[in-house]
Amino acid sequence: MAISNLKEFIRKLYYYKYYRKFRGKAKNVMLSMNGHILRPEEISFGENIFIGRGFYISAMKLEFGSDIMIGPNVLIECTNHRYDIQGKSMFSYADEKTSKGVRIENDVWIGGNVTILDGVAIGEGSVVGACSIVTRSMPPYTICVGNPCKPLKKRFEDKILEEHLRLVKSKYSIEQILESRNKFFKNETVNTKF
């Protein structure tokens, strides 16, 4: 017990410069070693968040919900370089950036070596598979994988999901989730077996 408390103290000391700048509740946020954050004051944290070792976060309008697990070597890039100024080389205005922001909702699990790009929302209860590159928003309660990342299957059968939403006091109704999924799975058969 004493060793784990010591490790936690060392970790908080290592990231002290970040912890004091975070917004939101930022309660029980565990950042593993060898990570780096640009603009920590642009991050809003909920509660109970774990981010694995070797992360790189370039924050601007970055929102984390609560109860989130993130594997090692995640890259979260909340900005884009501009490339639309006529008559200048892109290098000459490399410091000019745009940002739509990134939102990771409650109860999300993100595997190792995942890249999340600007303008993305990862829906509540979703799982993002290892080595995925998330270039667009993912619907709630969906297992998503790939490059580019795409919803693969439902996390729960609809009837089980409806009960789960009541138990976790979700901000979503079953109808909202089904509508969100339908945008992705229009005419495709969704595999719900694990």
Side-chain angles (χ1 to χ4, degrees):
M1 185 69 168
I3 292 175
S4 65
N5 287 341
L6 180 61
K7 284 182 180 179
E8 184 60 25
F9 175 76
I10 291 169
R11 183 183 0 227
K12 286 196 175 189
L13 189 61
Y14 182 80
Y15 288 118
Y16 176 74
K17 64 183 177 186
Y18 298 143
Y19 279 103
R20 62 188 176 96
K21 293 181 181 180
F22 295 149
R23 296 180 297 129
K25 290 181 182 176
K27 185 177 175 188
N28 197 28
V29 174
M30 295 170 279
L31 304 174
S32 295
M33 298 303 266
N34 300 320
H36 185 70
I37 299 174
L38 293 176
R39 296 177 295 277
E41 65 279 358
E42 288 281 334
I43 302 176
S44 174
F45 278 112
E47 301 176 298
N48 305 321
I49 295 147
F50 173 82
I51 302 177
R53 64 180 158 62
F55 61 87
Y56 183 86
I57 299 173
S58 176
M60 194 172 274
K61 303 176 195 170
L62 176 56
E63 296 177 34
F64 287 90
S66 294
D67 304 314
I68 297 168
M69 299 179 296
I70 299 176
N73 304 314
V74 72
L75 165 66
I76 302 175
E77 180 57 69
C78 299
T79 62
N80 278 310
H81 286 280
R82 291 193 56 196
Y83 53 85
D84 58 349
I85 298 177
Q86 206 170 17
K88 288 186 172 183
S89 73
M90 288 183 284
F91 188 83
S92 69
Y93 57 94
D95 290 337
E96 293 185 39
K97 296 182 180 184
T98 62
S99 178
K100 296 176 187 170
V102 170
R103 186 176 75 248
I104 300 171
E105 296 183 347
N106 297 340
D107 189 29
V108 168
W109 176 18
I110 298 170
N113 299 302
V114 169
T115 298
I116 301 169
L117 298 178
D118 185 37
V120 163
I122 298 176
E124 177 182 297
S126 291
V127 176
V128 177
C131 300
S132 295
I133 299 181
V134 186
T135 59
R136 64 180 182 163
S137 295
M138 297 293 115
Y141 292 96
T142 308
I143 297 172
C144 312
V145 296
N147 177 10
C149 190
K150 295 179 184 173
L152 178 66
K153 56 186 169 183
K154 301 174 186 180
R155 183 173 160 203
F156 297 114
E157 292 289 342
D158 295 348
K159 200 150 195 77
I160 295 169
L161 176 60
E162 193 168 10
E163 179 63 23
H164 177 78
L165 295 176
R166 277 194 295 275
L167 293 172
V168 299
K169 298 180 178 121
S170 174
K171 71 177 190 175
Y172 292 104
S173 69
I174 187 74
E175 293 81 15
Q176 288 171 313
I177 291 172
L178 295 177
E179 182 182 330
S180 176
R181 282 185 187 158
N182 286 340
K183 290 178 184 176
F184 286 92
F185 298 127
K186 287 183 181 161
N187 295 317
E188 297 175 30
T189 304
V190 180
N191 180 4
T192 58
K193 304 220 188 276
F194 291 89

